Amino acid sequence: MDAPIMIQFSSGGSQFYAGKGLDNKEFHAAIAGAVSGAYHVRAVAEQYGVPVILHTDHCAKNLLPWFDGLLEADERYFELHGEPLFSSHMLDLSEEPLEENIEICVKYMERMAKINCGLEMELGITGGEEDGVNNEDANPEDLYSKPEEIYQVYEALAKVPNGFFTIAAAFGNVHGVYQPGNVVLKPKILEAAQKYIAEKIGEPEGSKPVSFVFHGGSGSDLKDIREARKC
Ligand SMILES: [Zn+2]
């Protein structure tokens, strides 16, 4: 397609990359796998000549040592090359209370902002199952974030100097592939949040202060995906 691309590593994928036989004590294999994968992508990306975003996927609280190891690799790379090894990382603390989720995100973002590394955070729940994380029995209400909650996140993260962040809000999106009609996307939730936050921070109507992330698009209606993109 000769277009920019995004390559991301999950924790399980990272461990696989290092080799299943390697001991993953304290996530050593997952850290080494993600780092080696990043170098591989960087080397091959030069051959394609398109911009590549290097990202890591869902990192729950129990995986934070993996995240720490990746940040150390980013900082080492930054010292040598003036940019982090990865473009950005995702922290998914959506299973924790929102206050704790935000507090941990702010703490990490302060560190990441110093090396121009972006943070993706998640609130609410992405339904379905991916890489061993199963939310198939989630309370349907939790699949939809509220504008007030998204604003709470935005307000805290926007305060971090030089920080760059994206928000994976829940609008009914589900991991996995489903028959059409089984996933009910509500992009209006994202639209309403943009409007609510723009008003709160005094930006003109129609502006979109939040950079949203969309997880789990497979099997969704093309019309809904296009509408979500507009938000
Ligand atoms: Zn996801």
Side-chain angles (χ1 to χ4, degrees):
M1 299 295 287
D2 203 25
I5 192 169
M6 180 166 170
I7 309 276
Q8 61 179 358
F9 292 85
S10 66
S11 60
S14 300
Q15 187 189 348
F16 183 82
Y17 217 94
K20 283 276 197 181
L22 206 57
D23 187 2
N24 196 31
K25 192 168 164 261
E26 289 166 9
F27 299 96
H28 284 170
I31 294 165
V35 168
S36 74
Y39 277 100
H40 171 79
V41 171
R42 279 180 171 275
V44 176
E46 286 177 13
Q47 304 301 318
Y48 282 85
V50 295
V52 177
I53 292 173
L54 257 175
H55 186 61
T56 53
D57 206 7
H58 298 267
C59 174
K61 200 175 176 182
N62 64 321
L63 295 176
L64 283 177
W66 175 57
F67 201 90
D68 291 327
L70 296 175
L71 282 193
E72 281 164 26
D74 286 321
E75 287 163 347
R76 284 196 300 271
Y77 197 89
F78 184 86
E79 263 185 45
L80 294 170
H81 306 285
E83 62 177 20
L85 179 61
F86 284 87
S87 320
S88 51
H89 300 284
M90 178 190 197
L91 268 183
D92 177 1
L93 305 166
S94 56
E95 281 176 41
E96 315 307 325
L98 186 59
E99 281 70 24
E100 186 184 354
N101 182 346
I102 293 174
E103 192 186 314
I104 298 175
C105 285
V106 166
K107 197 185 90 199
Y108 275 107
M109 223 180 100
E110 284 167 347
R111 181 172 167 192
M112 295 165 81
K114 292 186 184 123
I115 54 167
N116 303 326
C117 191
L119 173 76
E120 177 195 352
M121 71 82 66
E122 173 161 329
L123 81 162
I125 289 176
T126 305
E129 192 275 338
E130 184 188 61
D131 202 11
V133 178
N134 194 326
N135 289 325
E136 286 171 319
D137 299 325
N139 180 356
E141 192 185 288
D142 294 334
L143 298 176
Y144 301 100
S145 301
K146 295 171 187 66
E148 296 83 359
E149 295 168 339
I150 299 170
Y151 174 60
Q152 211 180 322
V153 171
Y154 178 89
E155 199 189 18
L157 296 189
K159 276 187 199 146
V160 177
N162 304 315
F164 168 68
F165 65 95
T166 55
I167 299 179
F171 63 108
N173 43 323
V174 175
H175 286 134
V177 182
Y178 297 87
Q179 292 293 321
N182 284 347
V183 176
V184 184
L185 284 184
K186 295 187 182 173
K188 290 267 176 289
I189 287 183
L190 305 180
E191 194 184 333
Q194 296 286 27
K195 193 165 178 273
Y196 180 86
I197 295 170
E199 256 176 45
K200 281 273 185 192
I201 63 175
E203 282 197 10
E205 214 186 305
S207 69
K208 298 173 201 167
V210 185
S211 299
F212 280 122
V213 175
F214 182 169
H215 282 248
S218 307
S220 293
D221 199 89
L222 190 58
K223 177 177 68 58
D224 289 339
I225 291 182
R226 288 196 169 130
E227 197 189 334
R229 276 182 52 197
K230 278 190 201 143
C231 306

